[in-house]
mmCIF file of all heavy atoms in Angstrom:
data_model
loop_
_atom_site.group_PDB
_atom_site.id
_atom_site.type_symbol
_atom_site.label_atom_id
_atom_site.label_comp_id
_atom_site.label_asym_id
_atom_site.label_seq_id
_atom_site.Cartn_x
_atom_site.Cartn_y
_atom_site.Cartn_z
ATOM 1 N N PHE I 14 69.254 97.495 100.062
ATOM 2 C CA PHE I 14 69.351 96.079 100.260
ATOM 3 C C PHE I 14 68.001 95.376 99.924
ATOM 4 O O PHE I 14 68.057 94.184 99.554
ATOM 5 C CB PHE I 14 69.757 95.755 101.778
ATOM 6 C CG PHE I 14 71.261 95.687 101.893
ATOM 7 C CD1 PHE I 14 71.973 96.937 102.276
ATOM 8 C CD2 PHE I 14 71.984 94.586 101.721
ATOM 9 C CE1 PHE I 14 73.221 96.909 102.365
ATOM 10 C CE2 PHE I 14 73.369 94.631 101.821
ATOM 11 C CZ PHE I 14 73.982 95.789 102.139
ATOM 12 N N PHE I 18 68.088 92.222 97.312
ATOM 13 C CA PHE I 18 67.358 90.931 97.568
ATOM 14 C C PHE I 18 66.330 90.593 96.625
ATOM 15 O O PHE I 18 66.077 89.438 96.298
ATOM 16 C CB PHE I 18 66.969 90.856 99.059
ATOM 17 C CG PHE I 18 68.048 90.484 99.984
ATOM 18 C CD1 PHE I 18 68.637 91.415 100.809
ATOM 19 C CD2 PHE I 18 68.554 89.157 99.978
ATOM 20 C CE1 PHE I 18 69.659 91.115 101.651
ATOM 21 C CE2 PHE I 18 69.608 88.797 100.851
ATOM 22 C CZ PHE I 18 70.127 89.795 101.667
ATOM 23 N N VAL I 39 63.080 88.420 102.614
ATOM 24 C CA VAL I 39 64.103 89.350 103.048
ATOM 25 C C VAL I 39 64.005 90.672 102.517
ATOM 26 O O VAL I 39 64.005 91.696 103.206
ATOM 27 C CB VAL I 39 65.553 88.750 102.998
ATOM 28 C CG1 VAL I 39 66.547 89.749 103.353
ATOM 29 C CG2 VAL I 39 65.676 87.411 103.717
ATOM 30 N N SER I 40 63.746 90.752 101.252
ATOM 31 C CA SER I 40 63.554 91.921 100.512
ATOM 32 C C SER I 40 62.298 92.733 101.106
ATOM 33 O O SER I 40 62.390 94.042 101.358
ATOM 34 C CB SER I 40 63.348 91.718 99.101
ATOM 35 O OG SER I 40 63.093 92.873 98.340
ATOM 36 N N ILE I 41 61.194 92.013 101.276
ATOM 37 C CA ILE I 41 60.047 92.715 101.814
ATOM 38 C C ILE I 41 60.287 93.247 103.248
ATOM 39 O O ILE I 41 59.918 94.373 103.661
ATOM 40 C CB ILE I 41 58.777 91.591 101.783
ATOM 41 C CG1 ILE I 41 58.469 91.491 100.383
ATOM 42 C CG2 ILE I 41 57.697 92.240 102.599
ATOM 43 C CD1 ILE I 41 57.454 90.227 100.262
ATOM 44 N N ILE I 42 60.977 92.422 104.009
ATOM 45 C CA ILE I 42 61.339 92.833 105.423
ATOM 46 C C ILE I 42 62.100 94.124 105.344
ATOM 47 O O ILE I 42 61.925 95.068 106.130
ATOM 48 C CB ILE I 42 62.015 91.752 106.177
ATOM 49 C CG1 ILE I 42 61.082 90.682 106.485
ATOM 50 C CG2 ILE I 42 62.662 92.239 107.504
ATOM 51 C CD1 ILE I 42 61.720 89.347 106.986
ATOM 52 N N PHE I 43 63.154 94.135 104.418
ATOM 53 C CA PHE I 43 64.059 95.321 104.449
ATOM 54 C C PHE I 43 63.232 96.637 103.890
ATOM 55 O O PHE I 43 63.370 97.618 104.495
ATOM 56 C CB PHE I 43 65.171 95.123 103.306
ATOM 57 C CG PHE I 43 66.381 94.624 103.987
ATOM 58 C CD1 PHE I 43 66.779 93.300 103.872
ATOM 59 C CD2 PHE I 43 67.390 95.499 104.565
ATOM 60 C CE1 PHE I 43 67.958 92.764 104.361
ATOM 61 C CE2 PHE I 43 68.487 95.092 105.093
ATOM 62 C CZ PHE I 43 68.791 93.727 105.050
ATOM 63 N N PHE I 44 62.349 96.415 102.955
ATOM 64 C CA PHE I 44 61.486 97.540 102.559
ATOM 65 C C PHE I 44 60.551 98.063 103.740
ATOM 66 O O PHE I 44 60.410 99.221 103.841
ATOM 67 C CB PHE I 44 60.691 97.128 101.289
ATOM 68 C CG PHE I 44 61.399 97.268 100.011
ATOM 69 C CD1 PHE I 44 61.487 96.174 99.107
ATOM 70 C CD2 PHE I 44 62.095 98.430 99.736
ATOM 71 C CE1 PHE I 44 62.157 96.317 98.004
ATOM 72 C CE2 PHE I 44 62.698 98.443 98.446
ATOM 73 C CZ PHE I 44 62.830 97.364 97.672
ATOM 74 N N LEU I 45 59.996 97.208 104.345
ATOM 75 C CA LEU I 45 59.030 97.417 105.484
ATOM 76 C C LEU I 45 59.814 98.293 106.642
ATOM 77 O O LEU I 45 59.295 99.312 107.005
ATOM 78 C CB LEU I 45 58.379 96.280 106.027
ATOM 79 C CG LEU I 45 57.209 95.663 105.355
ATOM 80 C CD1 LEU I 45 56.800 94.273 105.949
ATOM 81 C CD2 LEU I 45 56.158 96.547 105.119
ATOM 82 N N ILE I 46 60.961 97.728 106.916
ATOM 83 C CA ILE I 46 61.701 98.433 108.025
ATOM 84 C C ILE I 46 62.200 99.813 107.502
ATOM 85 O O ILE I 46 62.220 100.751 108.161
ATOM 86 C CB ILE I 46 62.986 97.573 108.365
ATOM 87 C CG1 ILE I 46 62.530 96.294 109.126
ATOM 88 C CG2 ILE I 46 63.872 98.294 109.323
ATOM 89 C CD1 ILE I 46 63.509 95.294 109.542
ATOM 90 N N ALA I 47 62.628 99.876 106.220
ATOM 91 C CA ALA I 47 63.142 101.118 105.573
ATOM 92 C C ALA I 47 62.050 102.202 105.643
ATOM 93 O O ALA I 47 62.268 103.334 105.936
ATOM 94 C CB ALA I 47 63.598 100.912 104.219
ATOM 95 N N PHE I 54 68.339 100.413 111.032
ATOM 96 C CA PHE I 54 69.428 100.111 110.221
ATOM 97 C C PHE I 54 70.730 100.940 110.524
ATOM 98 O O PHE I 54 71.761 100.798 109.941
ATOM 99 C CB PHE I 54 69.128 100.445 108.758
ATOM 100 C CG PHE I 54 68.175 99.406 108.202
ATOM 101 C CD1 PHE I 54 67.120 99.984 107.464
ATOM 102 C CD2 PHE I 54 68.289 98.150 108.345
ATOM 103 C CE1 PHE I 54 66.203 99.006 106.870
ATOM 104 C CE2 PHE I 54 67.529 97.228 107.773
ATOM 105 C CZ PHE I 54 66.437 97.695 107.038
#
Side-chain angles (χ1 to χ4, degrees):
F14 275 90
F18 280 104
V39 171
S40 173
I41 292 169
I42 291 170
F43 268 103
F44 280 126
L45 285 174
I46 294 173
F54 290 133

